Amino acid sequence: MSGRHAKQTALTLKLTGGFLAASLLGSTFGAAAHANTVEENTKTSSEVTASALNLAGLSGVSKGGLSAIQVKLDDKSKASSSTTSEDRAGAQSSRDSDEKQAIAGVTAKQFVAEAKTQLGQSEDASGETKFGEWYADTDRAGETVARDGGSRSAYLDAEWCNMFVSWVAEQTGMKDTVGQDAWTVAHAKWFKEEGRWGTTPKPGAIVFFNWNGEKDLDSIVHVGIVDHVDDDGTIHTVEGNTGNKVQEKVRDASQIVGYGYPEYKS
């Protein structure tokens, strides 16, 4: 045993003795107080103290010394508890910071690249997709069911273009700035309420469509993600629920109601 370990062992024995002595003192004083009502018990408090200390192997420690040991141990326990609370708070702060950094660190190019990893994903024979299955199990689904009616299970085989966009937002840590919804109209209105709505195409923008050329938000029937825009204004997109799968498309500006703008890293 090293010298350091020997010292630690001795200290541990002494502190353990202090706890035992304190425990014995508490029990013995309680018994003595009760027994004082009976004339047979004639021990003084000094004798009780000495007896308790002897049992603890600390016969040389005074009552004052024992109290001092207990106070130190109590202080140590409080300090340990405080440190633990501070550590927990620090860990939570670190996690929150990491999440904010993840959001701040996503570029439009990275967001589109994540969407493209799903190219070719399609509905199964029953019309269900991984995106609808994911969305139906989210907290957001509970909120949109409360808003729109229906049930979580209805999302499993519902139109899923907006659930695809929401899924990409989840995977990239961008749900707070991209938004999450299953209804294109509500999603577009959310962007407008946030002050992030417009008619200029940008890479990474969430693009909302009406095939008849109507421009009212309530007329929106489809949504996708802008990949890039050609010099002549041709808009390239990544969309879910197009031909029952995730596909790259080329869209005419006349079919576009407007754009929602996520907050990407430059």
Side-chain angles (χ1 to χ4, degrees):
M1 181 182 294
S2 71
R4 183 179 67 176
H5 289 168
K7 290 180 181 179
Q8 289 176 339
T9 300
L11 176 60
T12 300
L13 289 172
K14 184 174 181 181
L15 296 180
T16 301
F19 274 117
L20 179 58
S23 177
L24 287 169
L25 281 170
S27 298
T28 307
F29 282 138
H34 175 72
N36 279 338
T37 61
V38 183
E39 291 184 355
E40 290 87 354
N41 193 326
T42 58
K43 284 188 177 181
T44 67
S45 60
S46 296
E47 290 171 326
V48 172
T49 301
S51 176
L53 291 173
N54 284 330
L55 286 172
L58 295 171
S59 57
V61 180
S62 67
K63 286 178 64 179
L66 181 61
S67 298
I69 292 173
Q70 189 61 52
V71 168
K72 289 180 180 179
L73 290 173
D74 288 343
D75 289 344
K76 183 177 181 181
S77 177
K78 290 177 182 177
S80 176
S81 176
S82 175
T83 300
T84 301
S85 297
E86 291 172 358
D87 289 344
R88 284 196 296 267
Q92 182 60 51
S93 176
S94 177
R95 285 193 293 271
D96 292 343
S97 177
D98 289 343
E99 290 176 0
K100 291 178 181 178
Q101 287 176 5
I103 292 174
V106 174
T107 64
K109 184 176 181 179
Q110 289 170 327
F111 187 80
V112 173
E114 180 63 34
K116 286 184 174 182
T117 66
Q118 301 304 303
L119 289 172
Q121 280 286 341
S122 61
E123 299 174 3
D124 62 20
S126 63
E128 297 182 3
T129 66
K130 62 184 281 186
F131 311 111
E133 182 177 353
W134 162 78
Y135 186 84
D137 195 43
T138 63
D139 291 340
R140 180 59 177 159
E143 296 172 356
T144 52
V145 164
R147 180 192 69 196
D148 305 326
S151 65
R152 285 177 180 267
S153 61
Y155 291 122
L156 297 176
D157 59 358
E159 299 294 327
W160 51 275
C161 56
N162 215 130
M163 290 187 280
F164 166 66
V165 172
S166 298
W167 182 90
V168 177
E170 179 74 21
Q171 304 310 305
T172 54
M174 291 285 288
K175 66 180 182 179
D176 290 339
T177 184
V178 172
Q180 288 191 321
D181 217 300
W183 184 22
T184 53
V185 171
H187 199 171
K189 288 182 176 180
W190 176 80
F191 273 115
K192 191 166 186 178
E193 289 168 0
E194 292 286 310
R196 294 187 283 117
W197 176 260
T199 57
T200 303
K202 300 177 183 180
I206 309 304
V207 53
F208 295 87
F209 301 94
N210 175 274
W211 308 133
N212 298 323
E214 297 179 43
K215 301 303 180 183
D216 186 79
L217 271 62
D218 286 315
S219 72
I220 291 169
V221 296
H222 187 60
V223 66
I225 301 166
V226 177
D227 180 357
H228 63 280
V229 183
D230 292 339
D231 292 340
D232 63 1
T234 301
I235 300 164
H236 297 258
T237 64
V238 181
E239 303 168 22
N241 198 29
T242 299
N244 298 330
K245 63 177 67 174
V246 179
Q247 296 191 62
E248 293 179 288
K249 301 292 288 185
V250 176
R251 296 298 189 184
D252 190 294
S254 67
Q255 299 175 318
I256 296 171
V257 179
Y259 303 88
Y261 304 116
E263 296 174 352
Y264 294 116
K265 177 181 177 181
S266 300

